[in-house]
Amino acid sequence: MVHALKRVKKCNLLCQNRRQFFRLDFKPFVFARVSIGIASSPTSRYFSTLPRRSLQVLLPFKWSHRVITIISNELNKGTTRDIRTDTLMEPRLRVAVIGAGAAGLVALRHLNTVSSNDLSQISAVALEQAPHVGGTWFYTKKTGNDDFGLPIHSSMYKNLRTNLPKECMAFPDFQFPEELPSFVGHEDVQKYLEDYATHFDLWKDIKFHTKVDYIRPVSDEKSKFQTRWEVTTCDVHKLGQKQKEVFDAVLVCNGHYAIPMIPDIPGKETFVGQVVHSHNYREPNVYKDRTVVILGANASGQDIALELASVAKEVYLSHNKQPFPNMPENLHQRPGIAKLDPEVIHFSDGSSVRADALMYCTGYHYDYSFVAPEVGLRVDDNRVMPLYKHLIHTGYPNFGIIGVCKRIVPFPMFDVQAQYFRAVLTGVVTLPNEESMNEDTERDYRQRRAQGLPHRHAHDMGPRQFEYNHQLADSACGRRVPVLTELMYNKTHNMRKQDLVGYKKVNFCVSGAGDEIVITCTPR
């Protein structure tokens, strides 16, 4: 008789796989106890001929029926050997992860780790164009093209420090070193990502110097998704030599801080001063004693304007937000740019300034030019479609993109998005049909428009991100983003609004847990 559906909070299953023992933690569980010789159970046909003994099995519910069947068959043969876990699993799925920045690394970590909610095995490999991990966090003095003639990916500048503290920006299960300041430099983040790759043994699953040229769907009735993916790559040392490989799924993690967005401003082709996008900004001394106009006042625009104010003669920060208080005397705030003359920049309020340089801090384009047109992936004024939960292609559930969302705490969100994508591939998450997913996506978009967000902010999160994270984690039976992340994000956001100049000059101290978390800050 099988006594099922008795939940237990946590247990360990010791199993043998490839002659090595692994301890797997599962939650929640079904407790299934098999008592031989009782014919009243509808499942007794599996056990009626077994030796008179009891077998206790602790398993996730979705595996209990299949495993009990396998175990009963083995006992019928009179064997006492351990049941190999690979006999319990579906065929291994092969996944191509595009990029080995923060999103790509956490994708590898979750895809290649046996989940606590299913026993499915996945073999994921990251295809990385650079010779290193880190993506945009890898600083280089170079701008333009790299040694192979390919565009420089990184947007880091020499003195960048994060605008979120390390106490909230880390992956939930891997913290920054405690001795670092709260607002760390790009070199600290790069080292953190390298340490993450080492800690979770990810290096062996990354193919460096590998440029992804093209991804196209291939019909395959044997695939659980009816589609597999042909990925065309080349070694950056041999750009003309193409290689093709077929995968069961694709997860794009190429970021969105590499292709500068330049607004169309009347007269921009006539301006004779220096013009640069923040993507190519590296250090402030180039602007010493000059008059600089910076267009755009999101995080990069704010930080670079403050940095240049320490060396430039005058800095004009052009934006349409509420004015920032307590700025340096030589940092002036103006509305958006109306037009450009050869030496003069005109603002929308009628004022103007003779400028030596203009810097665009105007954001970036999403780039999926390597995806075949028949996939139907399109970008309309910064809205990526059709993506369910800002993550899963509604027409191809085995194609996903991590990192589309903006105004977020990135690493924790990447973590839950990677868990959710794995859960979709393994069947822990059952997606609605394509029509229902498209309806849900459109409903989310309409809610944003009703709240006053413009079309181009279709993936803007801000305070919405935490409920979104919880929904993904709960659906995937994964780990929720810690409460501290939201508390620290909100505290930092408020400090930034009150003191843009000084909010990074503190260190945070966190004490307590659960509902009793206390955050204090001290001067750095």
Side-chain angles (χ1 to χ4, degrees):
M1 182 177 180
V2 179
H3 302 284
L5 300 179
K6 179 180 178 182
R7 300 286 179 177
V8 296
K9 292 182 179 178
K10 189 173 183 181
C11 74
N12 293 321
L13 172 65
L14 194 63
C15 59
Q16 187 178 27
N17 187 14
R18 296 181 182 176
R19 298 181 181 178
Q20 292 182 341
F21 285 95
F22 298 91
R23 186 171 296 278
L24 308 178
D25 294 329
F26 296 111
K27 60 179 183 179
F29 284 85
V30 170
F31 179 88
R33 185 183 181 111
V34 181
S35 299
I36 305 308
I38 301 176
S40 59
S41 167
T43 58
S44 62
R45 63 185 181 276
Y46 294 123
F47 314 110
S48 58
T49 61
L50 299 183
R52 187 169 293 277
R53 70 180 85 177
S54 291
L55 175 65
Q56 182 171 305
V57 185
L58 289 168
L59 302 164
F61 177 64
K62 68 169 287 188
W63 291 100
S64 59
H65 183 274
R66 184 178 181 190
V67 174
I68 291 170
T69 303
I70 292 173
I71 291 175
S72 67
N73 289 338
E74 292 294 333
L75 289 176
N76 270 323
K77 299 173 186 176
T79 181
T80 58
R81 72 175 179 85
D82 292 314
I83 309 302
R84 290 170 59 89
T85 55
D86 54 10
T87 67
L88 312 180
M89 302 174 188
E90 296 179 0
R92 184 187 295 265
L93 295 173
R94 299 187 66 244
V95 182
V97 176
I98 314 303
L105 291 178
V106 75
L108 279 183
R109 177 256 189 278
H110 285 296
L111 289 172
N112 285 340
T113 301
V114 176
S115 170
S116 61
N117 309 294
D118 66 78
L119 298 179
S120 301
Q121 287 186 315
I122 292 176
S123 175
V125 58
L127 308 176
E128 171 55 56
Q129 179 173 294
H132 51 75
V133 299
T136 196
W137 289 102
F138 185 87
Y139 172 74
T140 175
K141 292 181 180 179
K142 292 182 178 180
T143 59
N145 294 334
D146 63 16
D147 295 338
F148 305 102
L150 299 172
I152 295 289
H153 183 79
S154 177
S155 295
M156 288 297 109
Y157 54 91
K158 181 178 180 180
N159 300 321
L160 180 141
R161 281 190 292 141
T162 59
N163 57 14
L164 288 172
K166 74 178 195 299
E167 287 80 7
C168 76
M169 70 175 290
F171 294 117
D173 57 354
F174 191 78
Q175 298 304 307
F176 279 87
E178 189 174 344
E179 64 271 15
L180 291 177
S182 287
F183 295 93
V184 297
H186 58 74
E187 66 279 1
D188 298 313
V189 181
Q190 177 65 25
K191 177 63 164 53
Y192 168 83
L193 293 174
E194 293 170 356
D195 290 345
Y196 183 88
T198 299
H199 180 79
F200 290 107
D201 193 24
L202 305 180
W203 296 99
K204 67 183 187 309
D205 300 316
I206 305 171
K207 292 178 65 175
F208 293 108
H209 282 137
T210 302
K211 180 178 181 291
V212 175
D213 282 329
Y214 205 60
I215 298 175
R216 74 178 187 92
V218 179
S219 296
D220 186 346
E221 294 182 357
K222 296 181 180 179
S223 167
K224 63 187 294 185
F225 298 103
Q226 305 298 305
T227 301
R228 301 179 76 200
W229 299 91
E230 182 186 83
V231 180
T232 303
T233 63
C234 63
D235 188 309
V236 297
H237 299 90
K238 305 172 183 177
L239 291 175
Q241 299 182 15
K242 310 296 183 182
Q243 297 180 351
K244 295 181 180 180
E245 195 169 359
V246 177
F247 294 87
D248 296 292
V250 168
L251 186 56
V252 177
C253 302
N254 67 335
H256 53 81
Y257 294 108
I259 311 297
M261 180 183 295
I262 307 295
D264 188 15
I265 300 174
K268 69 178 182 180
E269 68 282 355
T270 68
F271 184 69
V272 297
Q274 181 184 6
V275 178
V276 66
H277 189 279
S278 59
H279 176 66
N280 294 318
Y281 171 72
R282 292 297 183 263
E283 53 183 275
N285 289 337
V286 176
Y287 300 93
K288 185 176 176 60
D289 299 328
R290 305 177 76 185
T291 297
V292 184
V293 174
I294 295 176
L295 178 60
N298 285 329
S300 292
Q302 297 168 16
D303 290 347
I304 293 174
L306 289 173
E307 179 165 272
L308 293 189
S310 66
V311 297
K313 178 182 178 181
E314 305 287 342
V315 175
Y316 290 81
L317 183 58
S318 173
H319 64 92
N320 295 316
K321 301 175 181 285
Q322 290 294 319
F324 302 107
N326 306 317
M327 301 296 272
E329 290 185 2
N330 67 333
L331 199 163
H332 316 282
Q333 299 180 70
R334 295 290 187 270
I337 296 175
K339 67 175 183 176
L340 300 175
D341 284 338
E343 297 180 352
V344 177
I345 296 178
H346 300 267
F347 302 103
S348 61
D349 64 353
S351 63
S352 62
V353 61
R354 186 176 297 273
D356 302 302
L358 169 62
M359 184 182 298
Y360 292 111
C361 293
T362 45
Y364 297 83
H365 292 286
Y366 295 101
D367 177 31
Y368 309 115
S369 56
F370 50 87
V371 179
E374 60 261 38
V375 176
L377 186 67
R378 59 195 187 277
V379 181
D380 176 20
D381 191 17
N382 265 12
R383 185 187 180 192
V384 185
M385 299 178 288
L387 291 184
Y388 178 65
K389 303 297 184 186
H390 308 272
L391 174 62
I392 305 290
H393 193 300
T394 61
Y396 296 96
N398 55 344
F399 183 100
I401 308 176
I402 286 184
V404 170
C405 298
K406 297 183 177 181
R407 280 212 309 142
I408 59 172
V409 187
F411 295 2
M413 180 178 285
F414 297 167
D415 186 83
V416 295
Q417 287 183 324
Q419 292 181 68
Y420 188 85
F421 187 71
R422 178 194 164 89
V424 169
L425 295 184
T426 61
V428 171
V429 168
T430 301
L431 294 175
N433 60 36
E434 181 177 355
E435 181 180 0
S436 296
M437 286 192 287
N438 285 329
E439 289 174 353
D440 182 272
T441 301
E442 187 64 18
R443 187 161 49 249
D444 175 81
Y445 170 73
R446 292 300 175 191
Q447 287 176 351
R448 291 165 183 273
R449 295 306 306 273
Q451 293 167 358
L453 290 177
H455 171 83
R456 66 181 183 278
H457 290 172
H459 304 293
D460 180 271
M461 285 294 184
R464 304 172 185 84
Q465 66 185 295
F466 303 106
E467 180 58 31
Y468 167 84
N469 290 340
H470 293 336
Q471 288 178 4
L472 293 191
D474 292 349
S475 297
C477 299
R479 176 186 53 243
R480 279 192 167 198
V481 172
V483 174
L484 175 63
T485 302
E486 181 175 1
L487 296 176
M488 191 67 75
Y489 175 88
N490 291 335
K491 185 174 184 65
T492 305
H493 177 72
N494 292 332
M495 291 175 62
R496 186 187 302 121
K497 287 197 303 183
Q498 297 170 10
D499 185 10
L500 183 60
V501 176
Y503 81 98
K504 295 184 183 181
K505 298 177 182 179
V506 302
N507 283 329
F508 292 104
C509 179
V510 180
S511 58
D515 296 333
E516 303 298 328
I517 293 178
V518 177
I519 302 173
T520 57
C521 54
T522 57
R524 184 169 59 86

